Amino acid sequence: MTRHVTNIAAFVTAADVSGDLITRSYCGMVAIELVLKEAMGLSDHNVPAALNHFANKFAVGHLYGCKARLNAIATQLSNAIGAISVQGIDGKPRAAPTASYPYIRYTRHVVDGWAAPSTTADQAQALSDAVMNARAYLKQKFGKPL
């Protein structure tokens, strides 16, 4: 039983309809986090690490071949999160921590006039693509509501 079914559905819908790449990524990551929380008791925001743990726990038997793909998706996601420049608590720019995707709420978009480092449209697109890829794979291979 999925206890977060309503929340997952809401964030999936928000991710699917948003025209903003960071919003789409953020909402998609929340949905993935909730699915992983249900599957494994995830207690933090480290979705890439949780995907690796998920692979070790669930990519077994007839899904054994999925382990390498999930690990690759986790690496892609981690790299894409880390490429996003955000405003740190101290007011200074920093890379979004890969273990805490919610920092992307404070993205420093180059189009907003932030000095370097700032996030380009290509970096935002890469993150959105990585999140969509993770969602699609978890849905297709593991039947997760993403």
Side-chain angles (χ1 to χ4, degrees):
M1 178 175 140
T2 303
R3 290 182 292 266
H4 295 295
V5 68
T6 300
N7 290 339
I8 292 167
F11 282 104
V12 163
T13 298
D16 288 345
V17 302
S18 179
D20 179 78
L21 295 170
I22 295 295
T23 302
R24 185 181 307 163
S25 298
Y26 180 81
C27 291
M29 290 288 289
V30 173
I32 293 169
E33 179 182 358
L34 290 170
V35 163
L36 295 173
K37 186 177 290 291
E38 282 291 320
M40 306 173 5
L42 176 65
S43 61
D44 59 19
H45 300 297
N46 194 343
V47 171
L51 283 171
N52 286 324
H53 293 299
F54 182 90
N56 289 329
K57 185 173 182 178
F58 294 104
V60 296
H62 72 285
L63 293 172
Y64 182 76
C66 297
K67 188 178 289 189
R69 182 70 184 127
L70 280 171
N71 289 334
I73 288 170
T75 298
Q76 178 189 30
L77 196 54
S78 183
N79 291 339
I81 293 168
I84 302 297
S85 179
V86 300
Q87 190 75 359
I89 293 171
D90 60 2
K92 295 179 183 174
R94 63 168 294 173
T98 60
S100 188
Y101 76 88
Y103 273 77
I104 68 172
R105 295 177 297 196
Y106 308 105
T107 298
R108 294 166 48 101
H109 295 275
V110 70
V111 296
D112 290 339
W114 288 101
S118 52
T119 303
T120 66
D122 287 344
Q123 290 167 317
Q125 184 68 58
L127 177 59
S128 179
D129 291 347
V131 172
M132 291 299 293
N133 186 29
R135 288 178 51 206
Y137 197 76
L138 288 168
K139 182 176 184 173
Q140 175 193 16
K141 293 294 186 178
F142 296 90
K144 298 302 179 187
L146 293 166

